[in-house]
Amino acid sequence: MVDSPVRAALYLRISTDREMDGLAIDRQRTDCLQIAATRGWQVTREYVDQSKSATDKTKRRPGYDALVHDFETGQFDAIVCWDLDRLTRQPRQLEDWIDAAEERGLRLVTANGEADLTTDGGRLFARVKAAVARSEVERKTARQSAAQAQRAAQGRAPKGMRPVGYTVAGDIVPSEAEAVRAIFAAFNSGSSLRAITAALSGETGERIPSKVPALPRHTRTVTLERNARREQENKSLPPQKKRKLRPVPEDAQWSPSTVLGMLRNPRYAGYSTYTPKNDQPDGGKRRAWRASILRDESGEPVRGQWKPIVDEGVWSAVQDRLDSPERVTNRIGTDRRHLGSGLYRCGVCGQRVRGHTGRYRCVGHVIRSRDQIDAYVTAAIRARLARSDLADLLPSRSDPRIQEIKAEIGAHRARIARAQRDYDAETIEGRDLKRVRDHEEAAIALLEAERVRLATSVSAGSVLAAQNPVAAFGAADLGAQRGVIEALCEVRLHGHPRGVKAFNPDTVAIDWRK
């Protein structure tokens, strides 16, 4: 009776295939087929993971997962791979394969002949090699983390894919930088993520901010830039060494998550960032970007060597809006349908009113006709915008108070740092340190709130600086109009006498900001 041939599976993997031409996989396949033929095994299946790392056990490898599943269901008897680290870099995974070899007779060999789990010596060699490989991965990770931390501490631009508005070296891309400023200004003025995303994608409409320009998807732009550089490099290379161009993705709609990532990125405000691997900041992902700002020994943010695109006060105001408890989703809390929803306040309790079936209301206190209130407030705003002293009303980006606030915050943080040093030197006790920290942090919170208010006023500057502010207000999207109202005044709604149909302007208090 003739024994059935051994059913062999090939596993082929390469961590990073920059060319994505499959040539590296083809070379592995040739060597693996040769060793299978030498042993007289019949290759029945092939599993491929192209440009997939085996270092991170949390990353999925579809080919590897299918290999494990098919072995469990008895679809092959042997595995051939080019090298042991092509199959796995995880000691735990290797032990699973060693158990399979010892308990179920799995044959596992490598094309370079260095590992053979069918022998005691081969299993010993595999364990040693896996341990050494894992140790090298950990050392490499530590070296890379140290280099990234050093770059961040020096304020140098991080490596990797460039953000919208900057080159890889940290220089500003003017056209993209203008778009970034428009995105921050629109969101800070009340526009929603969805509205901004639609504007970037070239859509227009009543609630879509007109100041945000349409841009091609950033992945497409970066791919075109990389291909252009590669074409230039290929001119000086022989044919056999020319690098293949990458496929250019089709232009498509922007994603709200991409816009959210831009709004969260501290680099646009000139902050240097660094977050150690597996270090999740308190507050979860929604606060991770703010927590990633690198700080020096005195608690001051480390400034990057690149030029900021947006004012740090505007960036902080945007973070406060993104962190608002009312903002449960991308839509709730940011996508307002009415001029005064969440903006006007109740004249009784001071809470912000909500829109409800043609009215603004604060439950138990006030319920008013939305159209009447909006018409009155809009008329008042137009009259205020038409005044000749409008240019003196709102602060500019160079407002001296903004610089004063920054200096005052630095002084308060310096006091906290001094108290911490005194505590470390055992010249003060823990309760003294806590008293100083609580007092100084309370003062910092008040200054930050003032800076946010000034930044909100700055965001309304596009209407203020217009040649015709009244016309600019009328042409602005809903979010920008809300931003202008918030910058100019505070609106409080009082109850209207029952049985009186005529609108009484005395029931709407408009307190103009000084």
Side-chain angles (χ1 to χ4, degrees), residues 131-422:
V132 171
R134 186 63 189 172
S135 177
E136 175 56 30
V137 167
E138 292 173 354
R139 286 196 298 271
K140 180 180 179 181
T141 300
R143 290 195 300 269
Q144 291 175 338
S145 296
Q148 292 170 359
Q150 184 183 44
R151 289 182 67 89
Q154 295 171 348
R156 297 164 61 193
K159 294 183 177 181
M161 184 173 179
R162 71 174 185 86
V164 179
Y166 288 111
T167 66
V168 175
D171 299 323
I172 284 182
V173 181
S175 60
E176 293 183 358
E178 286 302 316
V180 172
R181 294 188 190 99
I183 289 170
F184 273 86
F187 188 81
N188 197 29
S189 297
S191 295
S192 68
L193 291 178
R194 297 179 188 278
I196 295 171
T197 301
L200 284 171
S201 303
E203 298 180 27
T204 58
E206 180 183 355
R207 296 191 181 92
I208 298 177
S210 59
K211 298 292 185 180
V212 177
L215 287 179
R217 284 286 295 271
H218 191 52
T219 51
R220 175 180 173 83
T221 299
V222 170
T223 302
L224 288 171
E225 291 172 347
R226 288 174 174 171
N227 283 347
R229 290 195 299 269
R230 187 164 292 184
E231 284 182 331
Q232 189 64 32
E233 294 168 355
N234 284 343
K235 291 180 180 179
S236 59
L237 296 175
Q240 66 273 18
K241 291 189 177 181
K242 291 185 183 296
R243 302 177 68 186
K244 188 176 180 180
L245 302 184
R246 294 188 177 184
V248 179
E250 294 292 331
D251 201 8
Q253 297 285 313
W254 282 70
S255 167
S257 61
T258 302
V259 176
L260 176 60
M262 294 172 65
L263 292 170
R264 283 293 193 188
N265 194 340
R267 287 189 61 190
Y268 290 123
Y271 296 127
S272 183
T273 62
Y274 176 71
T275 303
K277 189 176 181 180
N278 299 326
D279 185 4
Q280 177 64 48
D282 293 338
K285 293 181 178 179
R286 299 185 70 189
R287 298 177 187 270
W289 276 112
R290 182 173 259 167
S292 71
I293 297 175
L294 191 65
R295 298 183 180 275
D296 59 22
E297 294 180 355
S298 64
E300 281 293 300
V302 175
R303 307 297 301 187
Q305 297 180 14
W306 57 88
K307 184 178 180 180
I309 291 179
V310 300
D311 182 88
E312 59 187 281
V314 172
W315 187 83
S316 294
V318 166
Q319 305 317 301
D320 287 343
R321 186 171 178 227
L322 289 172
D323 290 337
S324 171
E326 297 179 357
R327 186 180 174 274
V328 180
T329 68
N330 286 350
R331 186 176 183 84
I332 299 175
T334 64
D335 194 2
R336 298 293 185 180
R337 293 171 176 265
H338 310 297
L339 190 64
S341 299
L343 178 60
Y344 304 157
R345 291 185 179 274
C346 172
V348 178
C349 66
Q351 296 296 316
R352 297 184 185 273
V353 300
R354 297 177 178 273
H356 179 71
T357 61
R359 294 177 173 83
Y360 291 123
R361 71 171 183 173
C362 177
V363 178
H365 294 154
V366 171
I367 183 167
R368 301 298 304 274
S369 170
R370 187 172 65 237
D371 291 341
Q372 288 182 334
I373 299 298
D374 286 348
Y376 178 75
V377 172
T378 299
I381 293 294
R382 289 177 182 273
R384 186 65 186 85
L385 292 174
R387 287 174 53 174
S388 59
D389 63 344
L390 180 63
D392 299 327
L393 180 63
L394 299 180
S396 66
R397 295 184 186 277
S398 59
D399 187 287
R401 179 54 187 155
I402 294 178
Q403 299 304 316
E404 291 172 3
I405 291 173
K406 182 177 179 181
E408 291 175 18
I409 289 175
H412 287 295
R413 285 182 174 148
R415 294 189 189 103
I416 294 175
R418 285 198 298 271
Q420 182 65 56
R421 288 194 294 270
D422 290 342

Side-chain angles (χ1 to χ4, degrees), residues 399-468:
D399 187 287
R401 179 54 187 155
I402 294 178
Q403 299 304 316
E404 291 172 3
I405 291 173
K406 182 177 179 181
E408 291 175 18
I409 289 175
H412 287 295
R413 285 182 174 148
R415 294 189 189 103
I416 294 175
R418 285 198 298 271
Q420 182 65 56
R421 288 194 294 270
D422 290 342
Y423 174 74
D424 294 339
E426 299 183 353
T427 58
I428 65 173
E429 297 184 1
R431 63 174 178 270
D432 299 317
L433 173 62
K434 183 178 185 303
R435 176 178 53 79
V436 172
R437 181 182 287 119
D438 291 347
H439 180 270
E440 301 303 326
E441 287 182 347
I444 290 173
L446 291 175
L447 290 168
E448 289 284 8
E450 183 181 356
R451 182 163 65 176
V452 167
R453 184 182 64 79
L454 291 173
T456 302
S457 297
V458 170
S459 70
S462 59
V463 172
L464 172 69
Q467 187 173 3
N468 186 338

Side-chain angles (χ1 to χ4, degrees), residues 70-137:
D70 289 351
F71 174 71
E72 294 295 334
T73 56
Q75 298 188 35
F76 55 82
D77 313 304
I79 298 175
V80 183
C81 54
W82 190 79
D83 195 357
L84 192 62
D85 62 10
R86 297 301 88 193
L87 179 65
T88 181
R89 287 180 177 268
Q90 303 296 325
R92 177 62 264 171
Q93 291 179 349
L94 175 63
E95 289 299 326
D96 290 339
W97 291 117
I98 290 177
D99 290 345
E102 293 178 331
E103 299 171 6
R104 299 178 55 183
L106 170 70
R107 300 169 173 86
L108 193 156
V109 298
T110 59
N112 59 17
E114 292 182 346
D116 185 346
L117 297 190
T118 61
T119 67
D120 292 340
R123 291 191 288 272
L124 175 62
F125 173 83
R127 288 188 173 103
V128 172
K129 184 169 184 177
V132 171
R134 186 63 189 172
S135 177
E136 175 56 30
V137 167

